[in-house]
């Protein structure tokens, strides 16, 4: 009987190589299965997971969303406050013409020393001040402003009879402004035409009243003082 070749037994190295190949094939099969599952999930979800994971636009209010100036094409600094307008009126518009100050726009004050000597005259200060309203006009000349002195309701002296200078002193008063001017009473009685040599006012309590009239607007101030 002929001698048949005896089967060759695999060596240990060949056996290890076969196990490695089987392991690699198994990993490939598992990877393919995982990819297939992912693809199926994508089909059922319509790609929502991917859209959620990678947003295509930054959220509203992101610090990188810098507004662009349409006029210049450059970026506008969001921290820079806008410049105030250089005028209160639209370009080409005519500001309103100032009118006479009303008692709500302007106030007169009259300052007089509390005590004065008989026959020495009385120095006074007439003031006018405005609030936050629009510009307005006053005339503090003797043609529009009258100083009257009385005692016990009896007229003693009036600048309507003895005008002070100047006759006209028109002022345009802006908001929050003040103006002062000196007035005086010579301490004598007055008569029409302001003749000289009129009697001297006697000791007593007197009331000084200033009235400024512009059109139908009247401003008024008063102060009490004593002659002794």
């Amino acid at each position: 009987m002929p001698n048949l070749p005896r089967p060759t037994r695999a060596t240990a190295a060949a056996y290890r190589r076969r196990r490695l190949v089987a392991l690699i094939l198994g990993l490939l099969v598992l990877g393919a299965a995982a990819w297939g599952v992912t693809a199926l999930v994508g089909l059922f979800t319509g790609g929502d997971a991917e859209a959620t994971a990678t947003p295509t636009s930054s959220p509203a209010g992101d610090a990188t969303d810098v507004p662009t100036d349409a006029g210049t094409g450059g970026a506008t600094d969001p921290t820079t406050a806008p410049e105030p307008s250089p005028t209160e009126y639209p370009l080409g518009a005519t500001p309103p013409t100032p009118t006479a100050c009303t008692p709500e726009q302007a106030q007169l004050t009259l300052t007089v020393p509390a005590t004065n000597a008989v026959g020495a005259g009385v120095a006074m200060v007439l003031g006018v001040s405005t609030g936050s309203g629009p510009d307005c006009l006053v005339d503090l000349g003797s043609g529009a402003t009258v100083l009257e002195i009385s005692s016990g309701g009896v007229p003693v002296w009036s600048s309507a009879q003895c005008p002070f200078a100047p006759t006209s002193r028109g002022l345009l008063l802006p908001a929050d402004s003040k103006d002062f001017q000196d007035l005086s009473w010579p301490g004598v009685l007055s008569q029409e035409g302001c003749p000289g040599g009129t009697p001297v006012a006697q000791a007593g309590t007197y009331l000084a009243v200033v009235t400024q009239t512009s059109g139908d607007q009247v401003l008024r101030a008063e102060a009490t003082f004593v002659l002794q």
Side-chain angles (χ1 to χ4, degrees):
M1 184 175 181
N3 293 328
L4 296 175
R6 301 177 67 179
T8 305
R9 298 183 62 181
T11 64
Y15 180 72
R16 286 195 298 271
R17 284 195 297 272
R18 290 173 185 173
R19 291 189 63 183
L20 180 61
V21 170
L23 179 60
I24 292 174
L25 289 175
L27 292 175
L28 290 176
V29 171
L30 289 176
W35 179 86
V37 171
T38 303
L40 288 175
V41 172
L43 289 176
F44 283 107
T45 59
D48 289 343
E50 181 179 357
T52 303
T54 56
T56 57
S57 60
S58 59
D62 196 304
T64 59
D65 294 338
V66 179
T68 301
D69 188 339
T72 60
T76 302
D77 185 358
T79 63
T80 303
E83 290 290 335
S85 173
T87 178
E88 297 181 16
Y89 305 102
L91 184 63
T94 301
T97 301
T99 57
C101 294
T102 67
E104 292 74 29
Q105 292 175 302
Q107 293 78 44
L108 292 182
T109 59
L110 186 62
T111 303
V112 185
T115 303
N116 303 268
V118 171
V122 179
M124 308 177 186
V125 177
L126 175 62
V128 60
S129 60
T130 59
S132 58
D135 297 358
C136 61
L137 297 166
V138 296
D139 187 346
L140 299 183
S142 59
T145 300
V146 177
L147 171 63
E148 297 175 311
I149 309 295
S150 63
S151 180
V154 178
V156 174
W157 186 89
S158 173
S159 65
Q161 296 175 328
C162 296
F164 58 84
T167 302
S168 177
R169 184 171 181 256
L171 299 175
L172 174 60
L173 300 176
D176 301 316
S177 62
K178 294 182 179 180
D179 181 83
F180 300 93
Q181 72 180 56
D182 294 330
L183 294 180
S184 64
W185 171 45
V188 298
L189 308 184
S190 69
Q191 298 176 3
E192 191 65 40
C194 197
T198 55
V200 174
Q202 300 302 304
T205 300
Y206 289 81
L207 175 67
V209 176
V210 171
T211 304
Q212 189 274 334
T213 305
S214 295
D216 59 352
Q217 301 299 330
V218 179
L219 306 180
R220 187 176 184 276
E222 63 180 49
T224 301
F225 61 96
V226 173
L227 290 183
Q228 61 179 24

